[in-house]
């Protein structure tokens, strides 16, 4: 990441955050890691990356991504989500049950939840003004907060000098782990759906 030009870094970062914040295919992206790494890079005066542009741009990208997710939920509806993303939908609803109106803020810190929570909000017709207030607050706390955390962490001896390779390593590891975890989850789901339970019924049909 440190080897990218400022403009390219902005474009890549904002695109990743937008997609992860509400586009259904983005739940495996390493948003947390990339934000922290971007903060580290911005602390390097030779990188040509503005901490102010990062903070404002990420907040906007995260908010717009969540709004795209909301309208995806409105358009597709709950039945579609139950067919295609039943597991993530159930877990996101547990978040709603636990945290209520602040779910969209808390969910920012959970990879799959920050992607699916805005979509579910649209599917259940959450009032848009409550949704907008929550997603903007979450974008600021999560997006801007992690960038500033990385920026401040650069003051730790040795960490600034290691920012380039550390950013590259954590991004690659996060992507590989996310993709691998999703593939394993899908394989396990297909396996469980096809195997009979001890009582002769398919696993997952109960409860």
């Amino acid at each position: 990441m440190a080897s990218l030009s400022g403009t390219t870094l902005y474009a890549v970062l904002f695109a990743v955050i937008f997609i992860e914040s509400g586009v259904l295919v983005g739940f495996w992206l390493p948003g947390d890691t990339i934000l922290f790494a971007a903060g580290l890079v911005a602390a390097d005066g030779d990188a040509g990356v503005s901490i102010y542009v990062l903070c404002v741009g990420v907040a906007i990208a995260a908010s717009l991504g969540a709004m795209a997710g909301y309208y995806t939920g409105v358009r597709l509806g709950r039945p579609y989500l139950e067919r295609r993303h039943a597991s993530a939908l159930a877990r996101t609803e547990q978040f709603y049950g636990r945290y209520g109106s602040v779910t969209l803020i808390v969910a920012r810190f959970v990879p799959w939840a920050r992607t699916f929570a805005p979509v579910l909000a649209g599917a259940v017709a959450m009032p848009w003004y409550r949704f907008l207030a929550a997603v903007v607050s979450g974008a600021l706390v999560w997006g801007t907060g992690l960038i500033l955390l990385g920026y401040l962490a650069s003051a730790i001896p040795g960490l600034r000098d290691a920012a380039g390779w550390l950013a590259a390593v954590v991004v690659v590891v996060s992507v590989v782990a996310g993709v691998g975890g999703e593939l394993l989850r899908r394989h396990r789901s297909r396996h469980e759906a096809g195997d009979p339970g001890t009582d002769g019924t398919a696993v997952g049909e109960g409860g």
Side-chain angles (χ1 to χ4, degrees), residues 16-204:
V16 168
I17 298 305
F18 174 87
I19 293 170
E20 192 185 19
S21 295
V23 180
L24 288 174
V25 298
F27 57 91
W28 54 271
L29 291 172
D32 298 328
T33 302
I34 290 179
L35 289 171
F36 184 82
L40 286 175
V41 172
D44 182 355
D46 297 328
V49 176
S50 168
I51 187 67
Y52 304 107
V53 174
L54 284 180
C55 289
V56 174
V58 162
I60 293 173
S63 299
L64 292 177
M67 284 187 272
Y70 181 89
Y71 287 108
T72 297
V74 171
R75 183 181 180 89
L76 297 180
R78 186 184 181 90
Y80 175 89
L81 296 177
E82 289 177 339
R83 290 195 305 270
R84 299 295 185 90
H85 306 284
S87 176
L89 182 65
R91 287 183 291 173
T92 305
E93 287 190 305
Q94 290 176 359
F95 261 75
Y96 274 106
R98 180 178 304 174
Y99 298 108
S101 60
V102 298
T103 296
L104 290 163
I105 299 176
V106 176
R108 281 287 180 184
F109 296 90
V110 182
W112 53 264
R114 65 172 163 261
T115 300
F116 284 97
V119 181
L120 178 60
V124 300
M126 180 180 184
W128 67 268
Y129 53 89
R130 287 177 51 200
F131 173 82
L132 185 60
V135 297
V136 171
S137 299
L140 290 171
V141 172
W142 172 73
T144 301
L146 285 177
I147 286 176
L148 291 176
L149 185 62
Y151 187 83
L152 295 174
S154 68
I156 298 175
L159 189 54
R160 173 179 290 194
D161 294 336
W165 67 263
L166 179 62
V169 169
V170 294
V171 169
V172 170
V173 170
S174 297
V175 171
V176 171
V179 174
E182 175 60 16
L183 292 175
L184 288 174
R185 184 194 67 79
R186 293 187 179 187
H187 175 75
R188 184 171 61 250
S189 297
R190 289 195 298 266
H191 181 73
E192 291 176 349
D195 283 349
T198 56
D199 61 352
T201 60
V203 174

Side-chain angles (χ1 to χ4, degrees), residues 3-23:
S3 63
L4 299 177
S5 68
T7 301
T8 303
L9 186 145
Y10 297 143
V12 171
L13 177 63
F14 299 158
V16 168
I17 298 305
F18 174 87
I19 293 170
E20 192 185 19
S21 295
V23 180

